Amino acid sequence: MESRPLTRHDSMNNPLVRPPNYQAVEQPSHSAASVNGLRQKSNLDDDDIHHNPPPGSSSGSGGAMDPPQGHQMTVTYDGDSEGYVSFAGGSGSNNTFHLDSDEQEFPGIGQYDDFHTIDWQRDVARDRMRHRHIIKKRDDSAWDWIKSGHDAWSGWLCVFLVGVIAGAFAGMIDIGTSWMSDLRFGICPEAFWFNQEQCCWSSNETFYDGDNCSNWYSWPEVFGHEPNGAGAYIISYIFYILWSLLFASLAASLVMMFAPYACGSGIPEIKTILSGFIIRGYLGKWTLLIKSLGMILAVSAGLSLGKEGPLVHVACCIGNIFSYAFPKYGKNEAKKREILSAAAAVGVSVAFGAPIGGVLFSLEEASYYFPLKTLWRSFFAALVAAFVLRSINPFGNEHSVLFYVEYNKPWIFIELVPFIILGVIGGIIGMLFIKFNIKWCRFRKTSLMGQYPRLEVLIVTLITAFIAYPNPYTRMNTSNLIYLLFSQCGVANNDNLCTPGSSLRSNRVSLVDVFPAGPKPASLPSSDYQRNFTNVNTAIEIAAAGPGVLQAVWLLALALIFKCVVTVFTFGIKVPCGLFIPSLAMGSIIGRLVGIGMEQLAYNYPEWAVFAGECSTGENCITPGLYAMVGAAAVLGGVTRMTVSLVVIMFELTGGVRYIVPLMAAVMASKWIGDAFGREGIYDAHIILNGYPFLDSKEEFSHTTLANDVMKPGKNESFYVITQDSMTLDDVEQLLRETDHNGFPVVVSRQSQYLVGFVARRDLNIAISQAKKTTEGIVGESIVLFTSSVPSPWMGPPPLRLRKILDLAPITITDHTPMETVVDMFRKLGLRQTLVTHNGRLLGIITKKDVLRHIKFLESEDPESVLFN
Amino acid sequence: MESRPLTRHDSMNNPLVRPPNYQAVEQPSHSAASVNGLRQKSNLDDDDIHHNPPPGSSSGSGGAMDPPQGHQMTVTYDGDSEGYVSFAGGSGSNNTFHLDSDEQEFPGIGQYDDFHTIDWQRDVARDRMRHRHIIKKRDDSAWDWIKSGHDAWSGWLCVFLVGVIAGAFAGMIDIGTSWMSDLRFGICPEAFWFNQEQCCWSSNETFYDGDNCSNWYSWPEVFGHEPNGAGAYIISYIFYILWSLLFASLAASLVMMFAPYACGSGIPEIKTILSGFIIRGYLGKWTLLIKSLGMILAVSAGLSLGKEGPLVHVACCIGNIFSYAFPKYGKNEAKKREILSAAAAVGVSVAFGAPIGGVLFSLEEASYYFPLKTLWRSFFAALVAAFVLRSINPFGNEHSVLFYVEYNKPWIFIELVPFIILGVIGGIIGMLFIKFNIKWCRFRKTSLMGQYPRLEVLIVTLITAFIAYPNPYTRMNTSNLIYLLFSQCGVANNDNLCTPGSSLRSNRVSLVDVFPAGPKPASLPSSDYQRNFTNVNTAIEIAAAGPGVLQAVWLLALALIFKCVVTVFTFGIKVPCGLFIPSLAMGSIIGRLVGIGMEQLAYNYPEWAVFAGECSTGENCITPGLYAMVGAAAVLGGVTRMTVSLVVIMFELTGGVRYIVPLMAAVMASKWIGDAFGREGIYDAHIILNGYPFLDSKEEFSHTTLANDVMKPGKNESFYVITQDSMTLDDVEQLLRETDHNGFPVVVSRQSQYLVGFVARRDLNIAISQAKKTTEGIVGESIVLFTSSVPSPWMGPPPLRLRKILDLAPITITDHTPMETVVDMFRKLGLRQTLVTHNGRLLGIITKKDVLRHIKFLESEDPESVLFN
């Protein structure tokens, strides 16, 4: 059979010119069925349960007051949609539409509805087109040259601003928290806005030394009571509980009234957003404001939660808000995520004063795509933020965190054994914590309790405050507790934990009195050692523990149990609450206990071979504070499953490189133990609990299914496609009304199913309504044309030409492609959907939701738990 | 026209069942042309200039003695090729071949020839198949359970071993270098294997204090001369030059005779290998051995080069060698690159004692794909290596590098100005260095000089030694120079740079005498300050510079010029040579000079507002050592264009977090300035110079071309395809003989050009030769069948069935796909080629080489400079 010598361009630009026997080509059954199957309901459900029916509307279903909202309808940047249009139709050489014109632009094209997945490839292509446009115009005028310069550095400027503002926010939050926390214990009558430390500074007492400050009035004193005694204790207790309840209810009310998205840690949602999902208002200005305020209140209420996780959310809000100052980022969801990745790094940087750790946190835990450019910018922003925070100096110690410590003893090799044991314990605690917390959260979701969130907050606060007050370790601020436990005993350290106590019990200074922990209780244990420092040059001798240490050990053990239990119920209540600090606190208690045990072991058995080298000299060879730090890292690692970033954060908290090995050993042990029982960290577990469409890039897809098995339509389902030149406007509008798919493949004809391109539902809606307004003669019988040219003798009403909004380069795969490759492509290319072909004919479509459901199905979980797309 | 209701599976598994009018479908012209165009030469040249004609042979064209060599022909692991085969053909449900059998396996399938690009998707799929196989068999027996456990932890074990061995290698290299370097100045007669420091230690002089050691004999002393005086100076000079020449010629001879791949830095090649390219023998055991030895010799020869870059190569060699102990990595090129990425981190970790910096170096500079798992393993390996190296303690200072320093002064805000100026200078120097070095290397390649590499080494050594000796700053080991310049003046520091000099010039101790720099020259300048330390508690006062400082400044300036010039000619000679140390040295000289200037400014004008706060107390507020460090980072940043990793490496060299901001400011300024003049760092420039097929993931593709414009065949070229059921073995063998493509698309028929799959040339060759041996009745007229079943009444000789080696899921794109998306897919998915279709019909192919050439073409460079594929 002689084949007609057709050039490549012939067939490409003129799909209307077909050989006469074109339609007779073999085709799959369902495409034949779909000829008349337009009105059948298919379950090609790349839909969205939160779908907002009026196309072009952008009101989010949650979080009412977000900046993106108003923005979406006011696209003013003229290179924006043009960019995408040129990309889509840029190759049709004989296009009758001119693509460089400002006419025929459809504002809003390329945007997304709320709770939808973004298409990275498309967004990145749009940005490149925009960039090319600017570069091309650069030499036209001085103004264009400046614009191009501004465009080039706007990414750096944006992350710089984010760093500065996030640093300032963190400083204010730190100061506010410290003031409000002290308010529960007393007040500075001279200047009520001072916290206890500042109050005592101003009273000319150079060294801040616990309760010995006449300017600060505890509540019993305010009411004319003696500062000591049973009555004062009760008054203090009551004030402590009342203030806590006040703060907590304020926090919960603010969150519920103004910004429901401000509750919780925010990291699961930020992970989901960074993986390419739209949650409007989640990073808005109201969320920012309420989260910052609520965080101060919740921490001051003495709840078992921290402000470090929520700081990541706050930084991301700042990143989101600033990105709107730069259209390059504000109007392009894929580009905006570059700023958000940097903002996540900034959040951890200011939370722990650890810029490198922050960058690694963003890389390891938060971000989905982390190109090198983002790495550089994240690092820059994290540094700027840390610098700003240190300049604000909220703790008066030249560091950005309260619990910055320096050790001066190296560790010895045998200590690796307790470190690894700490890691194992941390892994087990983390695993149990995740399990119970998820169970409780699921119970909250399904039971009546979820309907009274404010009551829940009040009950948790009441119980926490009631139990916490009697135990000095739980009464104090959790950050202070962590710092106390991290500290080493040494000459320069004037913690009471390490100062020499005389043998007289009454003379002992309480361990907790160095911190603003309210009026001195009548009888407090002390964890002092029988140790004497004679002068500066004496080495610290190892010492036997006195009875005070034993009592402290007991109290710490009780505090540990309390923290473990109460945190399970706290994480998830409707106030801003982070997990870092409670986890670190649990871990540091365990670590300190193990450390004290090791110390006493080394003291009592210095002749053991393992201690022989270092401990025989009588010097203290064990640093219990280091154990506390290792334990803290282990538990936090068990809860979050972070590794490298966690080690680096802890390493940045200490002065030296030499403690990396102990930290690494514990964190790795913790991760391995935790992973053995359940792969997900707490954030991933909450993502699954909430049904977010998050395609984890850490999990390997290990099944043997093919694209064929996953794609929609399945057997006996009809497949909705649009033909390039034979459907009328009425047909298309009916299709849009009767299906809720997010997009439709465009084919040459319904019989042949040769794929031409892909058109998004949203773009189609906008284009149609726009065309009805602007183009004359468009009626229901108008043919919708996706071809590049109109056949020359055109009969009937004027056609509606939509090649502009057609994506001519959809990603396609063959039906034999293994799903592991498909999952890989979804992850690496950031796809929203891919089309499945066999020998060139369109067979079906796979959306991100299909992939997620398929993974759930293979893991014998409920595929319907994936909620959004 | 009514369409026949054909089910999807019908058409899929039985492509032979076609409607009668199948062949009449429109087709592009070139496919018609290629019906008879089988013998025409096309320029679809995804070929390889180093292609080894006999298929299955694996001898590399360079580096003769590599471990991969023998391995390739002895595939013993039974899940290996099976894995790939199942992947390719696993979906044909009515396959007559059983895929789980050990019969009909083709050993060597899935391997690559030398100088070829790997296919990541295919390799990763193979590994997952292998993994699934192990998981499935796990519960069969205890032995299988152990095997699966071993498989699970083999990655960790492998990087652990790499860390340990690389740490040990680095320690030995450090010790060897230190001994050999001292050999140029003298010898320890009691124990010739001691270097000067050890020699003096053994002589009961507790503190090593320069020349005051009776055990160490300088060469004049060995020959009975006085240690001082003109005669001694000349003898020392001659010995210095002779030893240098001896070492250099030894290094060059070793490299040329045993391992030509051992020369240079190795980082450009490692970047290329990590991006998915095969260079057999580049990471072999001979390269490892010769590179380690040659490095010691070259550094000891006093050449202006370092051992830090080559240590990365050494670590990668170790990684490669160990990966062969674990078939999971040794037999899978994509998986092996995970180990190599970790090894690159190990290399930097041991080079600078900076484990975190090493990981970031691997992430930022070396690696192409860096999944989280690799991050964790890299970090683990880097830590292990640093730990091992510190245990070996080659420098006797508890650190893994000579130039570890700690500063105790914070920097002041105004200092950011000189820091940024240093960054700008660093960027300019880096840019100039790259330019001149590349010019010289190009001249070397094209001129006669390249044919006498050993002579070149000798000449460079002679000139270096001759000029270096008179100047004490160039005479000393470059690492020592860097340490000297980094050091701060302080109480604990007993460098002569900072000790109080009396006003008597003759009493001054020379700056350089603290280092083993040979016999004391008659008159040496000293850079002391007029400063007095009375006791430990006095703050360091700021001091005026004496005349000695002025002279030192002059000598340093001369040293700087010398280093700059000689390094341009040194980097590229045929010995192992790294760039880190010379760059750091240049930078630290500049930095120290600027620092001394700033110090004197602060001393002379303490009343200036900018110095007012910190410098008015009379304390020294400027640390010139910090300037040296900042300058070093700036120049190294300008040369290599590293940012985050460089800052972290420098930060790990100092004790504290607070110097990150100055370092960052300088490095960022340096990168921006450098990038303004030329985007490539030195490594990328050398990659381009050598024509390696490296698709840079940092560069954005900013053009508007489409896949259509890039794909082969172009117009008027014929396209070689294989049909699935109509070509005879003779046809196929002729095709293989007459073309040199690396693979062929398989289509339904030559008229329709519907894509079925893709078959690699190498696999085809192996399968055919295997089939000829094992299957009876295969003759030249046998039809080569790629279909899943044989039509039931089969006439003629038995067919050769090759569906097993057919990749049924090749990545395809449409002809309208913008090239930026194509480049993105190549980068992110690690493709070797992609097929271009239009409406399902195969139009052409794009290989990685096509992409690289296209980029070159668009940048107006010579596309033919891309050599390999």
Side-chain angles (χ1 to χ4, degrees), chain B residues 585-598:
Chain B
M586 288 183 233
S588 57
I589 295 175
I590 300 169
R592 189 80 189 201
L593 293 179
V594 172
I596 290 172
M598 278 298 287

CSV table of all heavy atoms in Angstrom, one decimal, chain B residues 585-598:
chain,number,residue,atom,x,y,z
B,585,ALA,N,44.1,30.3,50.5
B,585,ALA,CA,45.4,31.1,50.8
B,585,ALA,C,45.3,32.5,50.2
B,585,ALA,O,45.6,33.5,50.9
B,585,ALA,CB,46.6,30.3,50.3
B,586,MET,N,45.0,32.6,48.9
B,586,MET,CA,44.8,33.9,48.3
B,586,MET,C,43.9,34.8,49.1
B,586,MET,O,44.2,35.9,49.4
B,586,MET,CB,44.3,33.7,46.9
B,586,MET,CG,45.2,33.2,45.9
B,586,MET,SD,44.3,33.2,44.3
B,586,MET,CE,44.5,31.5,43.8
B,587,GLY,N,42.7,34.2,49.4
B,587,GLY,CA,41.7,35.0,50.1
B,587,GLY,C,42.2,35.4,51.5
B,587,GLY,O,41.9,36.5,51.9
B,588,SER,N,42.8,34.5,52.2
B,588,SER,CA,43.2,34.9,53.5
B,588,SER,C,44.3,35.9,53.6
B,588,SER,O,44.3,36.8,54.5
B,588,SER,CB,43.6,33.6,54.3
B,588,SER,OG,44.7,33.0,53.7
B,589,ILE,N,45.2,35.9,52.5
B,589,ILE,CA,46.1,37.0,52.5
B,589,ILE,C,45.4,38.3,52.3
B,589,ILE,O,45.7,39.3,53.0
B,589,ILE,CB,47.2,36.8,51.3
B,589,ILE,CG1,48.0,35.5,51.6
B,589,ILE,CG2,48.1,38.0,51.2
B,589,ILE,CD1,48.9,35.1,50.5
B,590,ILE,N,44.5,38.4,51.3
B,590,ILE,CA,43.8,39.6,51.0
B,590,ILE,C,43.1,40.1,52.3
B,590,ILE,O,43.1,41.2,52.7
B,590,ILE,CB,42.8,39.4,49.9
B,590,ILE,CG1,43.5,39.0,48.6
B,590,ILE,CG2,42.0,40.7,49.7
B,590,ILE,CD1,42.6,38.6,47.5
B,591,GLY,N,42.4,39.1,52.9
B,591,GLY,CA,41.6,39.4,54.1
B,591,GLY,C,42.4,39.9,55.2
B,591,GLY,O,42.1,40.9,55.9
B,592,ARG,N,43.6,39.3,55.4
B,592,ARG,CA,44.4,39.7,56.5
B,592,ARG,C,44.9,41.1,56.3
B,592,ARG,O,45.0,41.9,57.2
B,592,ARG,CB,45.6,38.8,56.7
B,592,ARG,CG,46.5,39.0,57.9
B,592,ARG,CD,45.8,38.3,59.1
B,592,ARG,NE,46.5,38.7,60.4
B,592,ARG,CZ,46.4,38.0,61.5
B,592,ARG,NH1,45.6,36.9,61.5
B,592,ARG,NH2,47.0,38.4,62.6
B,593,LEU,N,45.3,41.4,55.0
B,593,LEU,CA,45.8,42.8,54.7
B,593,LEU,C,44.7,43.8,55.0
B,593,LEU,O,44.9,44.8,55.7
B,593,LEU,CB,46.2,42.8,53.2
B,593,LEU,CG,47.4,42.0,52.8
B,593,LEU,CD1,47.7,42.1,51.3
B,593,LEU,CD2,48.6,42.4,53.6
B,594,VAL,N,43.4,43.5,54.6
B,594,VAL,CA,42.3,44.4,54.8
B,594,VAL,C,42.1,44.5,56.3
B,594,VAL,O,41.9,45.6,56.9
B,594,VAL,CB,41.1,43.9,54.1
B,594,VAL,CG1,39.9,44.8,54.5
B,594,VAL,CG2,41.2,44.0,52.6
B,595,GLY,N,42.2,43.4,57.0
B,595,GLY,CA,42.0,43.4,58.5
B,595,GLY,C,43.0,44.2,59.2
B,595,GLY,O,42.7,45.0,60.1
B,596,ILE,N,44.3,44.1,58.8
B,596,ILE,CA,45.3,44.9,59.4
B,596,ILE,C,45.0,46.4,59.2
B,596,ILE,O,45.1,47.3,60.1
B,596,ILE,CB,46.7,44.5,58.9
B,596,ILE,CG1,47.1,43.2,59.4
B,596,ILE,CG2,47.8,45.6,59.3
B,596,ILE,CD1,48.4,42.6,58.8
B,597,GLY,N,44.6,46.7,58.0
B,597,GLY,CA,44.2,48.1,57.6
B,597,GLY,C,43.1,48.6,58.5
B,597,GLY,O,43.2,49.7,59.1
B,598,MET,N,42.1,47.8,58.7
B,598,MET,CA,41.0,48.2,59.6
B,598,MET,C,41.4,48.4,61.0
B,598,MET,O,41.0,49.3,61.7
B,598,MET,CB,39.8,47.1,59.5
B,598,MET,CG,38.9,47.2,58.3
B,598,MET,SD,38.0,48.7,58.3
B,598,MET,CE,36.8,48.4,59.6
